Amino acid sequence: MPAKNAFYAQSGGVTAVINATACGLIETARKHKNRIGKVYAGRDGIIGALTEDLIDTSKESAAAIRALRHTPAGAFGSCRYKLKGLEENRAQYERLIEVFKAHNIGYFFYNGGNDSADTAYKVSQISGTLGYPVVCVGVPKTVDNDLAVTDCCPGFGSVAKFVATSMREAGFDVASMARTSTKVFVLEVMGRHACWITAACGLAAEAAGDAPHILLFPEIVFDQEKFLARVDATVKRYGYCAIGVSEGIHGADGKFLSESGLKDAFGHAQLGGVAPQIANLVKDKLGYKYHWAVADYLQRAARHIASKTDVEQAYAVGKAAVELALKGRNAVMPVIVRKSDKPYRWSVEAADLKDIANKEKKMPRNFITADGFHITEKCRKYLAPLTYGEDYPPYKNGLPSYIKLKNVAVKKKLAASFKI
Amino acid sequence: MPAKNAFYAQSGGVTAVINATACGLIETARKHKNRIGKVYAGRDGIIGALTEDLIDTSKESAAAIRALRHTPAGAFGSCRYKLKGLEENRAQYERLIEVFKAHNIGYFFYNGGNDSADTAYKVSQISGTLGYPVVCVGVPKTVDNDLAVTDCCPGFGSVAKFVATSMREAGFDVASMARTSTKVFVLEVMGRHACWITAACGLAAEAAGDAPHILLFPEIVFDQEKFLARVDATVKRYGYCAIGVSEGIHGADGKFLSESGLKDAFGHAQLGGVAPQIANLVKDKLGYKYHWAVADYLQRAARHIASKTDVEQAYAVGKAAVELALKGRNAVMPVIVRKSDKPYRWSVEAADLKDIANKEKKMPRNFITADGFHITEKCRKYLAPLTYGEDYPPYKNGLPSYIKLKNVAVKKKLAASFKI
């Protein structure tokens, strides 16, 4: 079989290690030039495929591709753009296949979350019926850690390391000044429905009295009275109170506390700003001096403190995606399988995309303490290994040195353009 | 002369490296046991001296003291408590001297900013007239970088490294998704009056188009029209716009924007934080999708990404403080003197406290570009070396391993208590 080209796209919110996956994928593909010709990347994700705006990764040096391993965010651009259902918009899928055919693309690697797993699955199904079979492999990525089947999701471990470290550091800060200054500190982290990132803040607390003292999860209905009583008791006992809060917490009415009225491309409410609300509530009802922080993109882009485990897993799923494709495995995703907690051991295996597509892995209730305000030992045992190890980027002039690729466009071959 | 004990106190907002100063000071004192008996630390800063709540640092192992070098925040507690003028409250000074006398303290090391330099100066003056001469040495510390005489202030270089790194990382994130997602990102950093930290964000931009595209300084009156025009032009040119903003920016009326009572789209009052205000302004007037982050304590506690230069300088001023005291130098402060920009070379020399007390070093206007929206090459040349080098803390179970001291109290000797 003559070599076919491959198409790789990054999808949805980027992470500190999604480029490490790109690195693993491209480096592995380059070792199999007899089977895989060029790796094309979609400029701005799947939009690049639909608009025939492909990037020729073969124009990048080996050093540039290697540097992807330590560079955060999406080197080829990502997008929030969900393909509709086959019945609703068959034209999108036909266009994809048309572009793949025009560029002799026989492999489709889609690096994203559950939506992207669904898209990759649909493309795998339709490509055959359209007479141009493409091997479709999903590649896991999401800071939300909510993909089904896989033990964890590349991208999450590094966020976990950042938020736990930040919580510990801010906790030390507040503790040392609480007598005359801030008594309540609130750190807001990402997480709409699944509270994995909020839970990761909890790793900072290893002994009684350590920050954080309270975690507010989206899965637990926010009970103002109970919360305020806990804050007050904590300040009285330890002199201060550090709180980790998910942007997605909501009251008994089911409404997000922070709902801003804006919606993103998927129709999800745009959140942000619950930390100041919580802080003001504390000030208003208890009178304590407060400070608050909103980590926002800082948490998911913090490659400078990436988890080595996360980087290795991100690279490994990229590598495995190519190896699976070369074995002709279609409609699968390489996933992380946990072999042991202590010592932490893991491997990469293949799972069917249809078991992952559109599913959301919730955090088990027994990962949250009975009172709803912290994580259990079971949760800690699961989370901690994902933060193990450091993998520092190189520095230049005092700052991390990240790569910007040339991103040379592939010459278009189709006459028709496509409206997004 | 028989050995006298020393008193050391941390003052004001803590930093990622103030404990490195404590480490340098205590390690150096331990090498001169014939001259300096014990180093006592004030629990919660100067309050510890006034209330005779002293910590016996000799109870800490050499390993524990060594670990201070990589531990953020104030290991003995700090406070925001300014001693009044001598005329206003002579009793405070008399009490200090009384406590010093009771515990045979002959050296006073005060680790803080311009207020603390003033206090140390006053104590140096009054201790003689009260018949109990104490050698008083100020030790510089402030993330605001606003101390006079010294070229830079320990604590600032690490904040600079954190905010510049975070801005670069968030910038990569936003750039990679701007086509379909966030187009404007706002990072709020500390700085009420002096804009050194905001300026440090600017280090992230090394080439045209790099984040940050706009910096909003407290020294430059916020001009809404000019700002919005610049945001719009930046998004149109580069696809996105990253903004670094000081918490202290203000309008022509001199009022902080964060106090201006702006309301969100629904008429709700904004809950503090200038970043959400700026972001909402952009959304309201230009319609761009936004995200914002407020770094708050994360920036000044971020020991995990401390500047090696900063750690070395922090340690060096602690060491020099003891050496100056042993030379009998009274009412001085060890300061950083810059010997050369390229290669960056510095030394520690002594300056008179009276030249530092209560002064504030402003950023020169020629460090800000003519349009008021960025830093100049001159500024970059000054700032960059302060971020040079990495000095990673040890990690345990995936997180930085910071020391908590035993902080054993010294037995009280005075009958009278003192009300703060």
Side-chain angles (χ1 to χ4, degrees):
Chain A
M1 190 172 81
K4 290 250 186 192
N5 297 317
F7 175 74
Y8 167 75
Q10 303 180 319
S11 176
V14 294
T15 79
V17 301
I18 184 172
N19 286 334
T21 296
C23 175
L25 192 143
I26 295 169
E27 287 190 344
T28 309
R30 286 185 176 190
K31 286 180 186 151
H32 298 276
K33 286 197 174 145
N34 58 327
R35 307 277 309 278
I36 298 178
K38 291 187 171 185
V39 177
Y40 295 139
R43 192 183 308 275
D44 300 322
I46 200 74
I47 288 178
L50 292 168
T51 59
E52 205 195 349
D53 193 354
L54 308 179
I55 291 165
D56 186 351
T57 70
S58 75
K59 303 291 188 193
E60 309 292 342
S61 69
I65 297 300
R66 200 180 313 123
L68 287 178
R69 189 175 169 124
H70 66 250
T71 297
F76 309 106
S78 183
C79 64
R80 295 200 184 279
Y81 185 86
K82 189 177 177 175
L83 265 69
K84 292 187 181 141
L86 269 170
E87 296 70 27
E88 278 173 275
N89 201 337
R90 194 178 172 91
Q92 285 180 328
Y93 295 87
E94 288 173 350
R95 170 68 176 186
L96 269 190
I97 300 302
E98 192 182 22
V99 170
F100 287 173
K101 202 168 167 180
H103 292 275
N104 191 35
I105 290 165
Y107 309 96
F108 172 35
F109 299 105
Y110 205 24
N111 199 176
N114 16 42
D115 285 348
S116 310
D118 180 56
T119 299
Y121 180 66
K122 281 181 182 145
V123 174
S124 76
Q125 301 309 297
I126 204 172
S127 69
T129 60
L130 288 175
Y132 186 79
V134 174
V135 175
C136 298
V137 178
V139 197
K141 170 244 57 166
T142 170
V143 296
D144 293 328
N145 201 40
D146 62 355
L147 284 180
V149 187
T150 187
D151 180 68
C152 60
C153 302
F156 170 69
S158 295
V159 178
K161 193 178 185 91
F162 175 83
V163 298
T165 297
S166 296
M167 180 56 89
R168 173 166 292 177
E169 292 176 334
F172 267 65
D173 186 306
V174 178
S176 63
M177 300 194 65
R179 183 154 170 185
T180 57
S181 184
T182 300
K183 288 199 169 44
V184 174
F185 173 73
V186 185
L187 173 61
E188 174 177 334
V189 300
M190 287 176 161
R192 285 193 162 83
H193 305 292
C195 56
W196 295 100
I197 299 178
T198 314
C201 291
L203 289 173
E206 285 180 343
D210 283 358
H213 308 91
I214 298 177
L215 298 174
L216 298 175
F217 297 104
E219 283 88 341
I220 306 289
V221 170
F222 180 68
D223 179 331
Q224 185 172 310
E225 295 312 308
K226 214 174 128 194
F227 165 71
L228 288 168
R230 178 61 68 99
V231 172
D232 203 29
T234 305
V235 173
K236 290 196 163 94
R237 183 161 180 194
Y238 298 114
Y240 76 108
C241 180
I243 301 162
V245 56
S246 155
E247 59 180 342
I249 64 161
H250 53 80
D253 60 1
K255 275 193 188 159
F256 289 129
L257 252 70
S258 60
E259 193 124 21
S260 64
L262 298 174
K263 298 206 189 297
D264 70 13
F266 294 119
H268 306 137
Q270 180 173 336
L271 305 180
V274 74
Q277 288 188 31
I278 292 291
N280 272 287
L281 177 68
V282 166
K283 172 75 187 167
D284 198 38
K285 303 289 183 183
L286 301 173
Y288 291 129
K289 190 167 187 266
Y290 64 80
H291 258 248
W292 53 269
V294 175
D296 196 61
Y297 290 154
L298 270 52
Q299 70 199 289
R300 75 177 194 197
R303 181 61 185 82
H304 73 271
I305 190 175
S307 149
K308 189 178 183 185
T309 299
D310 194 30
V311 173
E312 286 173 350
Q313 292 179 344
Y315 186 92
V317 294
K319 177 170 178 277
V322 171
E323 291 165 351
L324 287 168
L326 288 175
K327 284 181 193 152
R329 297 289 299 271
N330 195 12
V332 294
M333 178 183 268
V335 295
I336 309 294
V337 175
R338 185 180 295 224
K339 298 291 191 185
S340 137
D341 284 320
K342 259 188 183 179
Y344 177 58
R345 286 187 299 111
W346 54 276
S347 67
V348 174
E349 295 174 20
D352 288 333
L353 275 179
K354 68 173 160 29
D355 296 334
I356 297 164
N358 285 325
K359 294 206 172 72
E360 189 183 24
K361 184 171 73 180
K362 297 270 186 193
M363 199 158 95
R365 181 60 183 84
N366 67 4
F367 274 26
I368 302 175
T369 52
D371 64 13
F373 286 135
H374 223 290
I375 55 170
T376 60
E377 270 312 306
K378 203 175 172 70
C379 180
R380 193 177 291 278
K381 205 166 102 180
Y382 166 77
L383 287 175
L386 309 182
T387 69
Y388 286 175
E390 293 68 55
D391 187 80
Y392 300 117
Y395 280 70
K396 198 180 151 191
N397 297 331
L399 299 183
S401 177
Y402 298 137
I403 186 86
K404 281 189 189 176
L405 300 179
K406 291 181 286 181
N407 285 347
V408 177
V410 177
K411 197 160 180 273
K412 297 197 181 197
K413 299 197 173 187
L414 297 172
S417 65
F418 190 85
K419 274 265 175 288
I420 294 297
Chain B
M1 188 172 82
K4 291 251 185 191
N5 297 318
F7 176 73
Y8 166 75
Q10 302 180 318
S11 177
V14 294
T15 79
V17 302
I18 184 172
N19 286 332
T21 297
C23 175
L25 191 142
I26 296 169
E27 287 190 345
T28 308
R30 286 185 176 189
K31 286 181 186 153
H32 298 276
K33 287 196 174 145
N34 58 326
R35 306 276 309 279
I36 299 179
K38 289 186 171 186
V39 176
Y40 294 140
R43 193 182 307 274
D44 300 322
I46 199 74
I47 288 178
L50 291 169
T51 59
E52 204 195 350
D53 193 354
L54 307 179
I55 291 165
D56 186 351
T57 71
S58 76
K59 303 290 188 193
E60 309 292 344
S61 69
I65 297 300
R66 200 179 314 123
L68 288 178
R69 188 174 168 125
H70 67 250
T71 296
F76 309 106
S78 183
C79 65
R80 294 201 184 279
Y81 186 85
K82 189 178 177 174
L83 267 70
K84 293 187 179 139
L86 269 169
E87 295 71 26
E88 281 172 275
N89 201 336
R90 194 176 171 90
Q92 285 181 329
Y93 295 88
E94 288 172 350
R95 169 68 177 185
L96 268 189
I97 300 300
E98 191 182 23
V99 171
F100 287 173
K101 203 168 167 180
H103 292 275
N104 191 35
I105 289 165
Y107 308 95
F108 172 35
F109 299 105
Y110 205 22
N111 200 176
N114 16 42
D115 284 350
S116 311
D118 180 55
T119 300
Y121 179 67
K122 282 180 181 145
V123 174
S124 76
Q125 302 309 298
I126 203 170
S127 69
T129 61
L130 289 173
Y132 185 78
V134 174
V135 175
C136 298
V137 178
V139 197
K141 170 245 57 164
T142 171
V143 296
D144 294 327
N145 202 41
D146 60 355
L147 285 179
V149 186
T150 187
D151 180 68
C152 60
C153 302
F156 171 69
S158 294
V159 178
K161 193 177 183 91
F162 175 83
V163 299
T165 297
S166 296
M167 180 55 91
R168 174 167 291 178
E169 292 177 333
F172 266 66
D173 186 308
V174 177
S176 63
M177 299 193 65
R179 182 154 169 186
T180 57
S181 186
T182 300
K183 288 197 168 45
V184 175
F185 174 74
V186 185
L187 172 62
E188 175 177 334
V189 299
M190 287 177 158
R192 296 235 132 207
H193 304 293
C195 56
W196 293 100
I197 300 179
T198 314
C201 291
L203 288 173
E206 285 180 343
D210 283 358
H213 308 91
I214 297 176
L215 298 173
L216 298 175
F217 298 104
E219 284 89 341
I220 306 289
V221 170
F222 180 66
D223 179 332
Q224 185 171 312
E225 295 312 308
K226 213 173 127 195
F227 165 70
L228 288 168
R230 177 63 68 103
V231 172
D232 202 31
T234 304
V235 173
K236 291 198 162 94
R237 182 159 180 195
Y238 298 114
Y240 76 109
C241 180
I243 301 161
V245 57
S246 156
E247 58 181 343
I249 63 161
H250 55 79
D253 59 2
K255 276 191 186 161
F256 287 131
L257 246 70
S258 54
E259 286 175 354
S260 66
L262 282 184
K263 296 189 191 307
D264 69 14
F266 305 102
H268 304 136
Q270 275 295 330
L271 303 171
V274 73
Q277 287 188 31
I278 292 292
N280 272 292
L281 177 67
V282 166
K283 173 73 188 169
D284 198 38
K285 302 290 184 183
L286 301 173
Y288 291 130
K289 189 162 187 270
Y290 64 80
H291 258 248
W292 53 269
V294 175
D296 196 61
Y297 290 155
L298 271 51
Q299 69 200 287
R300 76 178 194 195
R303 181 60 184 82
H304 73 270
I305 190 175
S307 148
K308 188 176 184 189
T309 298
D310 194 30
V311 174
E312 287 174 349
Q313 292 180 343
Y315 186 93
V317 294
K319 178 170 178 277
V322 172
E323 291 165 351
L324 287 168
L326 289 176
K327 284 180 196 152
R329 296 288 299 272
N330 195 10
V332 295
M333 178 182 269
V335 295
I336 310 294
V337 175
R338 185 179 295 223
K339 298 291 192 184
S340 136
D341 286 318
K342 258 187 183 181
Y344 177 57
R345 288 187 299 110
W346 54 275
S347 67
V348 175
E349 295 175 18
D352 288 335
L353 275 179
K354 68 171 162 27
D355 296 333
I356 297 164
N358 285 326
K359 293 204 172 73
E360 188 184 24
K361 183 172 72 181
K362 298 269 186 192
M363 198 159 95
R365 182 58 183 87
N366 66 5
F367 275 26
I368 302 174
T369 51
D371 63 13
F373 286 134
H374 223 291
I375 54 171
T376 58
E377 270 313 305
K378 201 176 173 70
C379 180
R380 192 176 291 276
K381 205 166 106 180
Y382 166 77
L383 288 174
L386 309 182
T387 69
Y388 285 175
E390 293 69 55
D391 187 80
Y392 300 116
Y395 280 71
K396 198 180 152 192
N397 298 329
L399 299 183
S401 179
Y402 298 136
I403 187 85
K404 281 189 190 178
L405 300 178
K406 292 180 286 182
N407 284 348
V408 177
V410 176
K411 200 162 179 272
K412 296 197 182 198
K413 301 195 171 186
L414 297 172
S417 65
F418 190 87
K419 274 266 177 287
I420 292 298

